[in-house]
Amino acid sequence: MGQVEGKVEEFEELRPLLFSIAYRILGSVSEAEDAVQETWLRFDASTTRPVSTKAFLSTAVTRIAIDVLRSARVRREEYVGPWFPEPLLSDPYEDPARAVELADSVSMASLLLLERLSPLERAVFLLREVFAFDFEEVAAAVGRSEAACRQLLVRARRHMREGRPRFAADRQERQELAARFFDALKDGDVGGLQSLLAADVTLVGDSGGKAPRLARPVAGAENVARLLGAVYPWLLRIDVTCEAREVNGQPGAVFRDRDGRVLQTLALDVLDGRIQTIRAVVNPDKLGHLGPVADAWAVDRELKRARREG
């Protein structure tokens, strides 16, 4: 009994790290949780004690996540509209020495950039650059030689540099900007919204064809401000609430219907004191881990009715 309890304690201590690795590889909370559970089953079934439990579990979760990603990429090619990662409100893994790398790597922009990499490149880049594994550990985790991992890392770094997102370094500045943005959003203050947006701001939504969505991305500060100012105050009139939260390490919010069910999330990318990109996740399949999910179609019908009736 003591040996089983010891295994459980070891695993639970490392669970935050395992989830964080899997989520960054997969961009999916549900798939990352499944990968962690499969890792536990393999660990529980093993009859010999590994020299390093961390190395054993990290290797297992990385290989499981790589296999899942290979099949997921096929599905994502058939996805309806833009594909975004499942929103993550809090990263369970903390390492003060790696805080900047961890926060940057979990942002929507970084996770979308990681989509350009092959599954192996993605795993090598994350293990080395984000989680600071040495090359021996990386090689063991992905089942390649150290030399091959170094080559994979060089390619991954090059791809990431080409489109690397840059965010405001001051977290307090981002939070204050987001607070002004959501105040203006609630008031329908088009001028106030426009003043907070970059000239080339983009508003993009991910519905997966399963919820009302934008016909296409909206670009430009005036266009985005007018759309937001026209829609969101009406949502508040039908008792939709806006809860400011960090979404994938960046300023954002969770919107809920009158019964407290999750309607959508918004995540804001901030650059040079302005909001550069606004990403909305409305696909109900990507919101279930946040709680009961609203019927977005019913909310949309109520919204249209309220606007008609004035």
Side-chain angles (χ1 to χ4, degrees):
M1 184 69 176
Q3 186 176 0
V4 173
E5 289 177 352
K7 260 191 171 183
V8 171
E9 288 176 4
E10 281 186 287
F11 183 82
E12 289 303 322
E13 184 177 344
L14 289 165
R15 180 189 286 272
L17 171 64
L18 303 178
F19 173 85
S20 293
I21 291 171
Y23 176 76
R24 284 165 173 80
I25 292 175
L26 294 166
S28 165
V29 172
S30 54
E31 289 176 346
E33 289 174 342
D34 289 345
V36 172
Q37 180 61 24
E38 177 62 26
T39 299
W40 160 250
L41 294 175
R42 293 187 186 186
F43 183 49
D44 187 42
S46 63
T47 56
T48 57
R49 298 288 287 177
V51 175
S52 167
T53 302
K54 177 184 174 183
F56 177 90
L57 295 176
S58 298
T59 294
V61 81
T62 298
R63 293 187 180 185
I64 291 167
I66 287 172
D67 287 343
V68 173
L69 180 60
R70 284 175 173 146
S71 61
R73 287 166 80 96
V74 176
R75 296 195 303 274
R76 289 174 192 176
E77 289 175 0
E78 301 169 351
Y79 195 80
V80 177
W83 178 92
F84 294 158
E86 290 183 9
L88 184 69
L89 300 188
S90 63
D91 187 359
Y93 179 68
E94 296 180 358
D95 179 355
R98 309 293 298 171
V100 173
E101 292 83 355
L102 288 166
D104 180 58
S105 65
V106 83
S107 71
M108 288 270 184
S110 289
L111 290 171
L112 289 170
L113 198 54
L114 284 167
E115 288 289 304
R116 301 182 184 182
L117 308 183
S118 71
L120 276 177
E121 287 172 346
R122 187 166 181 160
V124 168
F125 179 86
L126 290 168
L127 293 176
R128 178 63 181 163
E129 297 289 287
V130 177
F131 296 98
F133 283 35
D134 63 37
F135 274 107
E136 183 179 358
E137 293 172 316
V138 174
V142 301
R144 296 293 188 273
S145 68
E146 288 186 41
C149 288
R150 290 180 190 276
Q151 291 178 335
L152 287 165
L153 182 61
V154 168
R155 289 203 298 271
R157 281 174 173 166
R158 184 171 64 248
H159 286 303
M160 295 298 285
R161 273 198 306 269
E162 289 170 359
R164 195 70 177 164
R166 290 285 180 261
F167 303 116
D170 189 334
R171 181 174 180 178
Q172 185 65 30
E173 178 188 340
R174 288 194 321 232
Q175 290 175 333
E176 291 173 357
L177 178 66
R180 296 200 303 274
F181 171 82
F182 286 113
D183 283 344
L185 190 67
K186 293 172 186 177
D187 294 339
D189 180 359
V190 174
L193 286 167
Q194 189 170 340
S195 71
L196 302 172
L197 303 175
D200 58 349
V201 64
T202 305
L203 169 63
V204 191
D206 171 353
S207 72
K210 299 184 178 183
R213 68 182 179 96
L214 299 170
R216 62 182 63 84
V218 179
E222 183 177 354
N223 293 333
V224 171
R226 286 186 181 280
L227 176 62
L228 294 175
V231 173
Y232 280 89
W234 285 99
L235 284 173
L236 300 183
R237 290 192 193 186
I238 60 171
D239 299 323
V240 169
T241 59
C242 172
E243 172 191 346
R245 294 290 301 268
E246 277 201 350
V247 179
N248 288 77
Q250 303 298 317
V254 177
F255 290 80
R256 300 178 186 273
D257 70 6
R258 60 166 51 92
D259 297 315
R261 295 173 299 190
V262 180
L263 178 64
Q264 68 170 24
T265 63
L266 280 187
L268 312 178
D269 287 352
V270 177
L271 178 67
D272 297 330
R274 291 287 185 274
I275 295 166
Q276 189 72 42
T277 309
I278 304 170
R279 295 185 178 89
V281 176
V282 196
N283 185 341
D285 295 346
K286 295 186 176 184
L287 301 172
H289 62 285
L290 303 179
V293 179
D295 181 344
W297 294 108
V299 172
D300 185 59
R301 289 192 296 272
E302 186 177 359
L303 173 66
K304 289 175 178 175
R305 183 167 60 251
R307 294 181 73 177
R308 281 197 308 269
E309 296 171 357

